[in-house]
Amino acid sequence: MEYHHHPANQSGKSDLTFLVSVADEICLKYGLGYGYEIEIDPVRALPELWASLSARFPKGTDYSAEDSQSLIENTVAAAISLADHVFSPVSTVAVETSHKG
């Protein structure tokens, strides 16, 4: 995983490292960073990211440009929703209601 920012620098090809690298770029593209700055090459456009996925995983070519864009956007939206749910402070009303049982 040490090469997930630069997968081309690793000695062998690792699908996992490659997937994490693309996921990293998608997250950065949508503003889902680390809370601190990191040095990374410019983030590629979504069609270019999908093309790299499709080159590595040929089933990706089954998706049109619109379908791949929609898939990425829906997945990112679901991830943001989950993160908001997990990391948002619990409202006091919900806590009070759960204690009244």
Side-chain angles (χ1 to χ4, degrees), residues 6-42:
H6 303 285
N9 294 347
Q10 62 187 347
S11 58
K13 287 187 174 185
S14 166
D15 288 345
L16 183 58
T17 300
F18 177 78
L19 286 171
V20 171
S21 176
V22 172
D24 226 13
E25 287 192 65
I26 291 170
C27 287
L28 290 172
K29 185 94 178 140
Y30 281 89
L32 303 172
Y34 299 98
Y36 56 89
E37 294 295 319
I38 61 168
E39 276 190 45
I40 191 167
D41 297 331

Side-chain angles (χ1 to χ4, degrees), residues 45-87:
L46 289 178
E48 187 180 351
L49 288 168
W50 193 263
S52 69
L53 279 170
S54 296
R56 189 74 168 259
F57 304 100
K59 283 245 182 225
T61 59
D62 293 347
Y63 291 83
S64 69
E66 295 81 22
D67 288 343
S68 63
Q69 175 97 13
S70 178
L71 178 64
I72 291 171
E73 288 175 354
N74 290 334
T75 303
V76 168
I80 290 170
S81 177
L82 176 61
D84 287 346
H85 174 74
V86 170
F87 296 110

